[in-house]
């Protein structure tokens, strides 16, 4: 009897070597006893480069790929069909090679929804949140927060026009970047979607002491695992959610779709990723 053909999937980006997604999928595949490989694939910037690579992956029998920078918009353009969420986010981080054509999705929204459920419970009817940043990541986060049920959502971004555009599109309240600290007193959730606080970038300048005691402080940055923002919030007794939580949750829909197994986000997976980050830091 010929053994079943291993399932193939991966993550495409430029650069892509830093991605933790291969480790996440490898752990899930091993747990489920699924024969499959999830590999990092470096594709230089540009739609034509992206499209040629996707054509090849389809021929090679890949089930699908996750997409990271700078190809999230290319994925949407390349796809024959797309989910409403991916269209609304104007970016896709999942492409599934269906027989009727490539289908684009955005699992960042589901990813952040699950972070919210872990922090606040299954649903919420009110409350307010402040989103810092108005880049690609902020769009998914804003959609998840809105869908989850927060009634007042503020947004602040260094470049005001970008925050303004998101505020009109998603019905958010615009806060000036210089006045971000003034908006903290009544929020239940603060989310950093900028790259401030990331290794090699300046820290985010924010007064966590103004954040109410019961509020959650979340960061999508995961290198370092505990950003200065999260450290300050934790030391003041606020609940925190790190970037790995979002990363693990956004990976789950791809695994279920391409490998067909359970994709459990748990402490053991988190521990393995923390260990890998520590290993890389030590290199
Ligand atoms: P991503 O897709 O990961 O969100 P991005 O689209 O490049 O990446 O967005 C990066 C975010 O970090 C933006 O909101 C950016 O603010 P601008 O829109 O003003 O560029 C924010 N950011 C980056 N460096 C910053 C800095 N030094 N101060 C304030 N915000 C910064």
């Amino acid at each position: 009897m010929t053994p079943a053909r291993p399932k193939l999937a991966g993550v495409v980006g430029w650069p892509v070597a830093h991605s933790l997604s291969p480790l996440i999928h490898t752990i899930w595949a091993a747990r489920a006893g699924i024969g499959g490989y999830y590999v990092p694939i470096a594709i230089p910037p540009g739609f034509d480069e992206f499209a040629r690579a996707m054509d090849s992956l389809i021929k090679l029998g890949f089930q699908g790929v996750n997409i990271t920078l700078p190809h999230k918009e290319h994925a949407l353009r390349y796809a024959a069909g797309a989910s409403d969420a991916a269209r609304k986010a104007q970016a896709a981080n999942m492409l599934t090679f269906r027989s009727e054509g490539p289908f684009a999705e955005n699992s960042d929204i589901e990813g952040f929804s699950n972070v919210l459920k872990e922090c606040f419970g299954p649903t919420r009817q009110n409350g307010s949140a402040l989103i810092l940043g108005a880049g690609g990541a902020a769009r998914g986060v804003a959609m998840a927060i809105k869908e989850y049920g927060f009634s007042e959502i503020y947004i602040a971004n260094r470049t005001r026009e970008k925050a303004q555009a998101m505020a009109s599109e998603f019905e958010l309240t615009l806060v000036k970047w210089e006045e971000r600290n003034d908006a903290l007193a009544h929020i239940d959730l603060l989310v950093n979607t900028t790259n401030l606080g990331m290794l090699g970038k300046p820290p985010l300048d924010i007064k966590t002491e103004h954040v109410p005691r019961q509020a959650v402080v979340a960061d999508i940055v995961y290198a370092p695992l505990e950003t200065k923002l999260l450290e300050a919030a934790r030391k003041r007794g606020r609940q925190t959610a790190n970037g790995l939580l979002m990363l693990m949750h956004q990976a789950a829909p791809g695994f279920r779709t391409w490998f067909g197994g359970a994709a459990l986000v748990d402490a053991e997976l988190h521990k393995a990723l923390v260990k890998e980050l520590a290993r890389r830091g030590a290199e």
Side-chain angles (χ1 to χ4, degrees), residues 69 133-138 157-159 162 177 193-196 202:
L69 300 178
N157 189 53
R158 176 182 59 178
T159 308
K162 278 163 73 182
W177 181 247
T193 75
T194 74
N195 48 28
L196 294 172

Side-chain angles (χ1 to χ4, degrees), residues 3-268:
R5 214 169 139 216
K7 292 191 165 140
L8 301 173
V11 52
V12 303
W14 186 268
V16 78
H18 66 283
S19 174
L20 287 171
S21 298
L23 179 58
I24 299 175
H25 286 259
T26 301
I27 290 172
W28 280 333
R31 279 184 186 177
I34 289 168
Y37 298 96
Y38 183 103
V39 290
I41 303 164
I43 301 172
F47 178 74
D48 292 346
E49 301 271 7
F50 178 81
R52 265 200 301 276
M54 292 306 107
D55 293 347
S56 304
L57 293 180
I58 292 170
K59 282 190 193 128
L60 289 167
F62 271 65
Q63 309 290 318
V65 284
N66 280 120
I67 299 102
T68 183
L69 300 178
H71 294 301
K72 287 187 175 192
E73 282 147 32
H74 298 156
L76 201 56
R77 185 171 151 202
Y78 178 81
S83 67
D84 288 345
R87 281 189 210 288
K88 217 167 159 204
Q90 293 172 10
N93 70 339
M94 262 180 85
L95 258 187
T96 300
F97 302 135
R98 295 180 175 179
S99 52
E100 64 271 27
F103 188 74
E105 289 166 272
N106 189 316
S107 69
D108 283 341
I109 301 150
E110 184 178 332
F112 201 71
S113 295
N114 284 325
V115 173
L116 294 174
K117 284 177 194 159
E118 274 200 35
C119 296
F120 295 102
T123 54
R124 193 177 177 95
Q125 295 312 320
N126 48 41
S128 58
L130 169 62
I131 301 169
L132 299 175
R139 299 181 75 84
V141 164
M143 286 167 69
I145 293 177
K146 212 170 157 66
E147 228 174 78
Y148 183 68
F150 280 86
S151 46
E152 181 83 69
I153 306 168
Y154 302 97
I155 184 162
N157 189 53
R158 176 182 59 178
T159 308
R160 191 184 156 89
E161 295 70 34
K162 278 163 73 182
Q164 176 80 66
M166 269 187 67
S168 344
E169 191 176 345
F170 298 114
E171 296 172 316
L172 316 176
T173 306
L174 184 67
V175 169
K176 283 186 188 150
W177 181 247
E178 302 71 33
E179 292 171 8
R180 61 195 179 280
N181 285 310
D182 303 338
L184 298 177
H186 305 291
I187 57 166
D188 302 283
L189 171 69
L190 171 67
V191 194
N192 174 45
T193 75
T194 74
N195 48 28
L196 294 172
M198 198 184 275
L199 282 173
K201 303 271 177 197
L204 171 68
D205 182 11
I206 192 107
K207 295 194 164 40
T208 41
E209 63 270 29
H210 292 185
V211 174
R213 290 217 155 268
Q214 80 295 344
V216 173
V217 177
D219 204 330
I220 65 155
V221 172
Y222 61 80
L225 184 61
E226 188 177 57
T227 56
K228 291 268 181 261
L229 166 69
L230 296 187
E231 185 189 358
R234 175 179 57 81
K235 286 187 171 159
R236 293 198 163 90
R238 311 308 192 259
Q239 190 186 340
T240 60
N242 69 35
L244 282 186
L245 212 54
M246 162 96 168
L247 186 77
M248 294 186 291
H249 279 298
Q250 67 77 34
F255 185 82
R256 285 190 220 110
T257 308
W258 306 321
F259 295 101
L264 207 63
V265 171
D266 57 11
E268 197 189 325

